[in-house]
Amino acid sequence: MSIFDFSDDEALGSVRAVDTATVVVGVDNLELLRKMQVNRLVVLQSSRAGQYLVGIVQKITRDPAKAKELAASIDSEDQEPEEKNTVRISLIGTFLEKIGTRQNVFRRTLETVPEIDAYCFPIEGEHLTNFMKVVSHHDDTKTPRLSLGTYTLDQNANAYLNANKFFQRHAVIVGSTGSGKSWTTARLLEQISALPNGNAILFDIHGEYHTLKGDGIRHFRIAGPGDLEGLQTLDHGILHLPYWLLAYEDMVAMLVDRDDRNAPNQSMLISREVTESKRRYLEAGKHDDILANFTVDSPVPYSLAEVQAELVRLNTEMVDGSRGQKQGDFHGQLSRLIARLENKMHDRRLGFMFQAPHESMEFSWLERFAKSLMVGTRDQVDGRGGVKVIDFSEVPSDVLPLVVSRIASMVFAIAQWTARAYRHPIAILCDEAHLYIPERLQGGGILASALSYFERIAKEGRKYGVGLVVISQRPSEVNRTVLSQCSNFVALRLTNAEDQSVVQRLLPDSLGGMVGILPVLDTGEALVVGDASLLPSRIQIAEPANKPDSGTVEFWDCWATDEPAEHVAAAVMAWRRQSALAEKADKKQAKPKPAASKRRGNAKE
Ligand SMILES: Nc1ncnc2c1ncn2[C@@H]1O[C@H](COP(=O)(O)OP(=O)(O)O)[C@@H](O)[C@H]1O
Ligand SMILES: [Mg+2]
């Protein structure tokens, strides 16, 4: 039985004009017009039997002059039905009662257009419920489906997404602060982690997601200054990113001041000396197969102390000349480079790179590191935790882009080097993406190289089974090239006009009008559009079982308590030691804010 069994007197009106995917309906039924709203769904008779065209209401026009006229002549019997009341509709798909052996199928294609005078019916009540069921059961495979929540239009219908397309074609989650991005992310991760072999990485910039629990979830934290002395290592969920994993570009961005007139020589020497040191390492370990093809960027350990010593030697070198001793080629040119390098090597905040524990300097360590980040639940050593949450809250903001992008690019590189048959797809979820996938480049080379890694993943990730989920409260500050590669949008409430227009530009033309609802969405309510969703839909995101810890401070409530707070001394201590650990251990604290995120000048939340 068809779900669209309308009788002609239920019609809103009939088609007056048709464009490629837009239809203007002249309204006959004023009662129905009054109930009509923008973004509601309607169905039109198609020229083919058993097929219907489904559309979204874009614009409702009621001719005011005519309306007045009508009111004035309300008694005159011979008043013709209103012609100037129109509804403009964007066609979005076709409903087929039967295709092959399947019944009731919805497709995002338009194989026919409606004919002039075809009837148009609003989809409401039971029709809506039934239609939503058809839409959300589009994917009749046996695997558990991805559902973010229920449709606002019909709270009884689960809004299922095509999860394959969601991750294959990359996704964006945007919304103003407090609109529900983190909860949506948690909801997404929860469902990935429930699968037997889920595989994802979340870049948790503020340490909000430590509350996520379950067998499928594993937590890592980039080592902070407080982790350097302990034996806290990979097995304890503490991540170090030893300097030997940095690419040449990253080293130059971090160590060389491009305005220095010696910059070219400094860069050249970094390359030369790092390559040489790597060569010595490989020779000592008899890795002949690697020696043949390695470059400065090869992930091979080396000794930075050795490089530093060589730079110092070159900087002070005297050589024999025709008239006795003279200064060497690089004499005095490397002083600033050496100073910068030594600074970094001793900066405790960068200890996770430059003072990484001994184990991370071993050749075999990279394998373990990559394995813990790259493989799904089944393939983890303990058979758990395919969803990896990495807490970056102790990473200083100036190197944040470098660290995040380095990890992302390693994941991508390993996916690329994995034989096709063995690739296990992985999703990379980037919270606060505007901080490291920026639209405007400022602050030098670090951001530029971070961006280049993410652009690469956005463009080529699909081929290698690496999916991106870009999450941000400022879509207008996230790189356009990366955004334009994303085919799925979860847009929560968005109040800033600039941000709205970015979303508008990314939507197909026929749906551009939907941007109008962005500022009025409720908390946790989203407009979901894209490959993964057959219908652009307004979805109420369901609450995740474990809520992220947004660390929102309840100003008024805190001010209203009379409990004394004894934490300033501890905060001063933590600041001096550059470690928030002591503070974290202090359970009496109502809302400890890690010192690390206070240091971060450009953090928005
Ligand atoms: N799906 C939802 N349902 C109900 N309340 C929600 C939902 N999502 C978010 N909220 C509320 O909004 C607050 C902010 O959500 P959050 O995800 O931290 O926002 P954002 O990450 O966008 O800043 C939450 O603490 C919660 O109270
Ligand atoms: Mg958030």
Side-chain angles (χ1 to χ4, degrees):
M1 205 203 83
S2 171
I3 64 164
F4 289 148
D5 50 348
F6 297 100
S7 64
D8 288 357
D9 59 341
E10 291 174 277
L12 173 70
S14 52
V15 174
R16 293 286 185 271
V18 182
D19 201 344
T20 328
T22 317
V23 172
V24 177
V25 168
V27 176
D28 308 321
N29 190 330
L30 286 181
E31 195 54 45
L32 286 178
L33 180 70
R34 216 161 286 139
K35 288 201 286 179
M36 203 23 79
Q37 285 171 5
V38 171
N39 294 325
R40 287 262 155 180
L41 295 173
V42 296
V43 58
L44 295 124
Q45 283 174 337
S46 145
S47 50
R48 277 191 215 154
Q51 289 197 11
Y52 297 84
L53 292 155
V54 176
I56 282 188
V57 174
Q58 264 195 338
K59 193 171 179 185
I60 302 169
T61 320
R62 190 156 182 185
D63 185 342
K66 283 278 174 160
K68 236 182 246 159
E69 225 173 87
L70 181 73
S73 62
I74 199 89
D75 315 312
S76 62
E77 298 284 291
D78 55 3
Q79 187 66 34
E80 280 294 305
E82 267 312 294
E83 263 300 321
K84 287 293 165 70
N85 296 326
T86 55
V87 175
R88 178 182 292 272
I89 289 157
S90 280
L91 297 178
I92 52 173
T94 310
F95 176 85
L96 304 106
E97 288 181 342
K98 198 159 189 279
I99 175 163
T101 55
R102 291 167 64 199
Q103 291 203 319
N104 295 337
V105 177
F106 177 71
R107 288 213 175 137
R108 277 299 298 276
T109 52
L110 297 171
E111 286 154 20
T112 59
V113 286
E115 291 171 340
I116 296 290
D117 287 340
Y119 280 129
C120 170
F121 305 93
I123 309 183
E124 287 170 336
E126 202 165 332
H127 289 131
L128 182 63
T129 316
N130 289 335
F131 179 61
M132 286 307 184
K133 281 193 187 129
V134 169
V135 169
S136 52
H137 290 110
H138 58 86
D139 162 19
D140 43 11
T141 56
K142 297 281 180 296
T143 47
R145 282 187 298 253
L146 171 64
S147 169
L148 289 178
T150 52
Y151 292 106
T152 305
L153 279 176
D154 178 3
Q155 303 271 349
N156 296 318
N158 259 319
Y160 291 111
L161 298 180
N162 182 326
N164 285 331
K165 289 192 174 155
F166 189 82
F167 293 107
Q168 256 165 18
R169 305 276 168 86
H170 308 314
V172 180
I173 301 177
V174 291
S176 306
T177 295
S179 59
K181 295 180 301 299
S182 298
W183 282 35
T184 305
T185 306
R187 166 100 191 152
L188 210 53
L189 288 178
E190 219 164 75
Q191 291 180 69
I192 302 175
S193 72
L195 300 172
N197 215 351
N199 197 12
I201 293 181
L202 168 70
F203 297 138
D204 176 8
I205 306 305
H206 300 300
E208 288 175 74
Y209 297 90
H210 62 89
T211 46
L212 303 197
K213 292 191 181 69
D215 272 359
I217 295 184
R218 177 184 303 268
H219 290 275
F220 288 106
R221 183 161 55 82
I222 303 283
D227 300 308
L228 300 181
E229 275 75 33
L231 293 169
Q232 300 284 300
T233 54
L234 201 52
D235 297 334
H236 306 90
I238 301 293
L239 281 189
H240 293 266
L241 190 79
Y243 60 81
W244 58 266
L245 284 173
L246 297 179
Y248 165 69
E249 289 294 334
D250 296 332
M251 292 288 279
V252 169
M254 199 160 44
L255 298 173
V256 178
D257 174 2
R258 277 180 303 179
D259 297 332
D260 191 324
R261 68 191 162 83
N262 295 317
N265 273 343
Q266 295 178 353
S267 306
M268 183 272 288
L269 285 174
I270 290 177
S271 168
R272 190 177 90 186
E273 295 311 323
V274 169
T275 308
E276 281 315 304
S277 186
K278 284 185 176 179
R279 181 193 308 285
R280 284 191 289 274
Y281 183 94
L282 290 172
E283 280 166 357
K286 304 224 182 314
H287 299 287
D288 293 343
D289 47 340
I290 303 176
L291 266 168
N293 290 312
F294 88 102
T295 70
V296 64
D297 284 334
S298 298
V300 172
Y302 69 92
S303 160
L304 193 60
E306 214 173 85
V307 170
Q308 180 219 13
E310 184 58 16
L311 293 176
V312 169
R313 191 187 69 75
L314 290 169
N315 195 42
T316 52
E317 188 181 37
M318 298 299 287
V319 294
D320 291 331
S322 48
R323 277 170 285 152
Q325 290 249 301
K326 64 165 190 173
Q327 294 185 342
D329 287 347
F330 304 109
H331 193 101
Q333 289 184 23
L334 311 178
S335 306
R336 291 186 56 200
L337 169 63
I338 294 167
R340 276 185 169 213
L341 176 60
E342 288 176 350
N343 228 322
K344 304 279 183 217
M345 288 169 79
H346 297 123
D347 186 340
R348 289 180 58 79
R349 299 175 315 149
L350 299 180
F352 64 91
M353 261 191 244
F354 294 104
Q355 297 163 44
H358 192 69
E359 68 160 16
S360 68
M361 299 306 288
E362 283 162 16
F363 200 67
S364 60
W365 173 86
L366 181 57
E367 223 172 276
R368 282 207 296 136
F369 178 79
K371 205 167 171 201
S372 47
L373 291 185
M374 285 296 292
V375 302
T377 303
R378 271 276 148 82
D379 301 320
Q380 291 281 345
V381 211
D382 51 3
R384 306 173 53 174
V387 170
K388 281 82 49 173
V389 176
I390 308 181
D391 176 346
F392 285 84
S393 63
E394 297 207 39
V395 176
S397 62
D398 50 339
V399 294
L400 179 76
L402 186 146
V403 183
V404 172
S405 67
R406 201 59 218 150
I407 292 181
S409 71
M410 269 168 42
V411 168
F412 183 64
I414 292 169
Q416 264 186 315
W417 286 105
T418 306
R420 183 182 225 119
Y422 298 108
R423 266 181 214 138
H424 190 60
I426 184 166
I428 304 181
L429 292 92
C430 307
D431 203 0
E432 308 289 352
H434 50 276
L435 296 179
Y436 48 90
I437 314 180
E439 168 63 3
R440 274 178 292 276
L441 287 178
Q442 30 178 254
I446 283 188
L447 276 175
S449 72
L451 183 58
S452 70
Y453 295 136
F454 280 106
E455 275 187 8
R456 185 101 198 274
I457 300 177
K459 286 181 184 153
E460 299 176 40
R462 195 163 58 91
K463 282 192 280 184
Y464 303 105
V466 180
L468 270 188
V469 180
V470 175
I471 307 160
S472 175
Q473 80 239 27
R474 290 310 312 270
S476 59
E477 290 177 11
V478 177
N479 185 263
R480 294 295 143 80
T481 314
V482 171
L483 284 185
S484 67
Q485 297 291 324
C486 300
S487 313
N488 294 288
F489 295 88
V490 178
L492 292 125
R493 185 177 57 244
L494 207 50
T495 44
N496 178 298
E498 218 179 315
D499 293 326
Q500 287 165 13
S501 65
V502 169
V503 174
Q504 175 152 32
R505 253 173 278 148
L506 296 165
L507 293 177
D509 286 343
S510 62
L511 299 173
M514 296 193 90
V515 162
I517 67 166
L518 291 181
V520 297
L521 290 170
D522 199 358
T523 299
E525 201 186 2
L527 175 65
V528 180
V529 185
D531 277 358
S533 152
L534 279 179
L535 262 190
S537 350
R538 207 168 149 170
I539 293 178
Q540 179 60 49
I541 312 278
E543 293 191 4
N546 295 299
K547 280 92 181 148
D549 168 16
S550 69
T552 313
V553 178
E554 306 295 351
F555 281 67
W556 201 255
D557 296 349
C558 281
W559 292 342
T561 63
D562 52 7
E563 267 177 52
E566 291 285 339
H567 51 256
V568 174
V572 170
M573 180 70 158
W575 184 17
R576 285 209 170 106
R577 300 193 326 173
Q578 290 288 303
S579 163
L581 285 189
E583 206 191 354
K584 273 182 189 155
D586 183 359
K587 294 217 175 59
K588 261 173 56 190
Q589 291 251 332
K591 294 278 176 196
K593 194 111 178 59
S597 58
K598 282 194 185 134
R599 273 201 311 271
R600 193 170 289 137
N602 55 353
K604 290 274 156 48
E605 281 183 328

